[in-house]
Amino acid sequence: MKKIIPTLFILLLAAQSISAQIAVKNLQVEHRRKPIGLDVKQPRFSWQLTSEKRNTMQSAYEIRVAKKEADLKRGKNLTWSSGKVNSDQSVYVKYAGAELESDTKYFWQVKIWDNTTKSSKWSEVAFWQTAFLDNESWQAEWIVPGYEEDTVQRPSPYFRKEFTTAKSIQSATAYVTAHGFYEAFINGKRLGDAWLTPGWTSYKNRLQYQVYDVTSHLQGGQNAIGVSLASGWYRGKLAWKDGINHFGKDIALLFQLQITYTDGTEAIIKSDNTWKCSTGPIISAEIYDGEVYDARKEIQGWYQTGFDDSNWSKVTLKDFDKSHLIATYNEPVRKKENFQPINIFKTSNNELVADFGQNLVGWVQLKVKGKAGDKIDVYHAEVLDKEGNFYTTNLRAANQKNTYILKGGEEEFYEPHFTFQGFRYIKIEGFPGELTKDNLTAVALYSDMEKTGTFTSSDSLINQLQHNIQWGQRGNFLDVPTDCPQRDERLGWTGDAQAFARTAAYNFDVKNFFSKWLQDLEVDQINGSVPHVIPNVLGEKAHGSAGWADAATIIPWTMYLAYGDTAVLEAQYESMKAWVEYIKSKSKNDLWNTGFHFGDWLFYRPDDDNSGRAAVTDKYLIAQSFYAHSTDLLVKTAKVLGKTDDIEKYKKLLKNIKAAYNKEYVTGNGRLVSSTQTAYVLALQFDMLPENLRQQAAERLVQNIKDYNYHLTTGFLGTPYLCHVLSAYGYNDVAYTLLMQKKYPSWLYPVTMGATTIWERWDGIKPDSTFQTPSMNSFNHYAYGAIGDWMYRNTTGIDTEESAPGYKKITIKPVIGGGFTHAKATYASNYGEILSGWEMTENELTMSVNIPVNTTATVYIPTDSREAVTESGKLLNEIKGIEILGMENDYLKMKIGSGKYSFKVAQQSE
């Protein structure tokens, strides 16, 4: 008899099939979603895959590109079709179609086949829009104020232009940049949501412009453009000794509007001698000193049509360079989190103070009602002193003050435009009436990096430490990796950046952020040597310090490991090589013992105990260690890029560097001339010692830690590697003891003192609540947050294999310890989210692991018995797709594919 399959069963099978089907999501071009203004002539495509089925891989892909979305969907009039390509590559696939055109939108989509030959549907349609692909596209002219400028306060100039559109508009795109900061409007609507544009680069070599889709801003008939400027990083006060005009004395605007009408014709509105200019309510604006805004001088309607600008001045044309103009590649600075005060109070000094509960970078918005001419001063500080009073001594020469002068009448709203502050507390003077929490909102500003990492544990102090690390990154990753956001500095210190780069890449997506900054590093190199800060505003003599300048090699390699993109190595290879060659030129017999070096900056030094045991590490020993490390990274990079001649050349050099190190700094018994934690950490991390001397060096390191009663003594250069070295040599228990140490010096000491960000010094606030040296005492200084890297890679065990970087091949190897009962981390890789979490009870260990589609993972389960492990309630030998690789150092090692896994390990009774 013929069997009849119930309709319900068929529907269930169909539903299962749909849920298991592979799909494509998160389409990106050059690591950005739907970017507008891309000047890359052969952009790369990336996508992620989703499937409920385990062990799913991509086996092939097909990409298609068209200028019109309708053509793309029909598969007609394509700019490029890759055809079916048999490959598991799903990141950074290079466009290979017809030559791209400037100022043009392209639509694209992708479909893929999995490892069972099943195909996905075509993905959603994504797009990118090109910027100017050649300098000839720029028709706009540089304009500067035509009036005589106040060279002391340097009030913000306001520019405007009216124009007419006579036809129906299809699209409109604005291209804008400036010498200084700018804020632009069309018909009263702000262009974009970015702040502090055009960002900070080495302006004489690379000046970014921004691209905006302004189709919705325009109207039929008369239109108006308005742009205000401020000195910004270009000519504003930077560094010390009232240094101004680092890149130029002028303040200038370049603006070009490309309009395409529905009939196919085009028009260009550009900055030229028909524009007008004046000054307005922004009396002064400086990064360090804040903004003065006089609302009585506001110009109603200045950026709208019909405004009478007959009293405005003409502009002056300038023949400034355009050849160095580049489209913006990194994420711009945007407004992020908002904070209301958690307390408003009077101090013992009768100061009116508001506490926002979080040390942050940004500004404060004011709502206020009062009389015309009422003046409100808002001062910013990170901490209160021992008596609870407002403390600004550590700001040095930075005023960090915004001033608002009321126009009177209805409630007024004010926020700064062209400055930023680092603060948790504000002091307000001159506020009319009673100040309430509703009057104040603190707005965080930082580069709009996607958050990629989370880390939580059973220990609340460690969770606060992770919070502090991430907020230190938020506050200091403000277009460049600044060292501090509050005092008269805020510079892109290279040493801080290289120390923190791997942690940064776990917490946030920093690929574009660092790619942009590294290009400025290269153009600012001085005969191969790397300046202390990038962009370099400290002069031609401030360069070449070991551990700082090595950012040239360390950060590109770190970005390659984190994102798996060889492009950063290709872009930076000559820079990396130039730095190594510079050191070589300063060395004698392969020993680098010349020049200025910061050394192990801000290491622990008990100046008041007279023990003579300060942790001073020989600066030339450090320099030789980093010389070797940079050379080693150059060799690795040459291998990735296939530069055969350089591989052998620098392998030989590396061997000689290590030989010179051992001859100069190591005794016959393996003792280092500097018997400090940092000396041994660098020797072991960079493989400076012969193998037969390494374990005893690790023992000496541990003994040193014990001698300091299980405290660290490392500074900026030793700290990032300290726990990694301990773990590598079998001392996870000591690494955890250091991590969990609550007394100074330690990572948790600032947490116990109420820190909400990472401090510059181990004891920025001393146990008696007094302060460290105020001239060098930032409370938002991310370098020591580098321990976050160890927490991700060891506590929860998430790492990438060097042979398949960017988490194409993942390692999950958690280290149980620290007294934690549970810990969990997630990381949003290029392929999707990775999860590793564990929980320990009296009877069993549970491990949760998520592996993205199109990747594989080597997973280590802490156990000494394979039979004690189950996955989703089944014995391992019952599960298809899990490959047991054997036991290794108290771990069961296995290989798995994509999917969600729940491992349980029964704890054996003693």
Side-chain angles (χ1 to χ4, degrees), residues 695 725-733:
Q695 193 60 48
V725 167
L726 291 169
S727 292
Y729 285 88
Y731 293 103
N732 279 309
D733 57 335

Side-chain angles (χ1 to χ4, degrees), residues 358 462-472 474 756:
Q358 172 63 51
I462 292 296
N463 295 341
Q464 183 65 41
L465 174 63
Q466 169 68 3
H467 169 97
N468 295 0
I469 292 169
Q470 291 195 327
W471 272 96
R474 284 182 172 101
T756 61

Side-chain angles (χ1 to χ4, degrees), residues 36-39 101-105 129-133 137-138 140 172-178 182 184 186 191 208-214 227 253-259 268-271 275 325-327:
I36 295 176
L38 204 62
D39 63 3
E101 300 174 18
S102 290
D103 190 41
T104 303
K105 183 177 283 189
Q129 184 170 327
T130 57
F132 290 153
L133 301 179
S137 297
W138 280 104
T173 306
Y175 293 77
V176 192
T177 190
Y182 75 82
I186 294 180
L191 271 58
Q208 295 181 138
Y209 60 86
Q210 283 73 47
V211 183
Y212 305 95
D213 182 345
V214 295
V227 185
L253 171 67
L254 189 69
F255 187 106
Q256 187 161 320
L257 175 62
Q258 308 272 133
I259 303 173
I268 295 178
I269 309 300
K270 60 183 181 178
S271 50
W275 287 51
L325 296 178
I326 55 171

Side-chain angles (χ1 to χ4, degrees), residues 522 525 569-579 643:
E522 179 174 17
Q525 281 180 262
L569 299 181
E570 293 166 353
Q572 299 302 131
Y573 186 74
E574 292 304 319
S575 167
M576 299 168 77
K577 188 174 176 179
W579 167 234
K643 297 184 180 291

Side-chain angles (χ1 to χ4, degrees), residues 600 615-618 621-622 625 661 665 672-686 688-689 697 701 704 713-714 718:
D600 194 28
V616 182
T617 308
D618 187 290
L621 179 151
I622 292 173
S625 301
Y661 173 93
Y665 301 114
L672 301 183
V673 296
S674 291
S675 190
T676 63
Q677 291 176 21
T678 290
Y680 283 106
V681 163
L682 296 182
L684 293 169
Q685 179 70 22
F686 299 156
M688 301 302 294
L689 302 172
L701 169 62
N704 182 294
T713 62
T714 50

Side-chain angles (χ1 to χ4, degrees), residues 24-34 43-49 58 61 63 89-95 108-110 112 123-124 126 329 511 563-565 829-831:
V24 184
K25 67 172 186 177
N26 196 19
L27 276 64
Q28 295 187 341
V29 182
E30 286 299 321
H31 211 74
R32 293 162 59 185
R33 294 183 185 90
K34 299 179 179 178
R44 284 100 42 82
F45 305 102
S46 301
W47 56 89
Q48 291 178 359
L49 309 176
Q58 175 184 293
Y61 67 81
I63 301 170
Q89 184 180 358
S90 59
V91 297
Y92 311 126
V93 178
K94 185 175 288 189
Y95 171 82
W108 74 285
Q109 57 185 172
V110 60
I112 71 97
S123 70
E124 67 174 8
Y329 188 79
K511 181 182 186 297
Y563 301 105
D565 186 8
S829 74
N830 278 342
Y831 299 94

Side-chain angles (χ1 to χ4, degrees), residues 418-430:
F418 299 122
T419 188
F420 61 89
Q421 284 87 31
F423 64 99
R424 170 176 171 171
Y425 302 91
I426 61 169
K427 180 179 70 173
I428 297 186
E429 294 180 350

Side-chain angles (χ1 to χ4, degrees), residues 760-902:
E760 179 177 20
R761 292 178 176 270
W762 293 119
D763 62 339
I765 301 176
K766 297 181 180 181
D768 65 357
S769 295
T770 60
F771 296 115
Q772 252 288 2
T773 308
S775 62
M776 190 75 66
N777 199 20
S778 160
F779 295 100
N780 193 351
H781 212 99
Y782 60 81
Y784 285 139
I787 185 60
D789 171 30
W790 186 87
M791 290 157 58
Y792 279 109
R793 282 206 271 167
N794 288 266
T795 301
T796 54
I798 298 176
D799 205 351
T800 184
E801 292 187 23
E802 193 169 305
S803 62
Y807 301 90
K808 179 66 170 171
K809 292 184 178 178
I810 301 160
T811 298
I812 304 289
K813 189 177 183 180
V815 177
I816 312 299
F820 296 161
T821 57
H822 63 82
K824 183 177 78 170
T826 63
Y827 175 67
S829 74
N830 278 342
Y831 299 94
E833 184 174 89
I834 303 165
L835 180 147
S836 174
W838 56 266
E839 183 174 6
M840 179 76 74
T841 66
E842 187 176 340
N843 298 319
E844 67 180 7
L845 168 69
T846 301
M847 257 185 74
S848 300
V849 175
N850 292 358
I851 304 301
V853 176
N854 206 30
T855 69
T856 59
T858 303
V859 177
Y860 295 77
I861 309 292
T863 183
D864 56 6
S865 171
R866 169 178 172 171
E867 288 71 28
V869 183
T870 60
E871 196 284 310
S872 297
K874 297 180 181 180
L875 295 174
L876 296 181
N877 58 11
E878 299 175 5
I879 302 172
K880 184 180 179 181
I882 294 181
E883 180 184 355
I884 304 299
L885 302 177
M887 299 298 298
E888 183 179 300
N889 298 328
D890 296 324
Y891 284 93
L892 175 63
K893 183 179 180 182
M894 65 183 72
K895 183 178 179 181
I896 64 175
S898 64
K900 297 180 180 181
Y901 299 82
S902 178

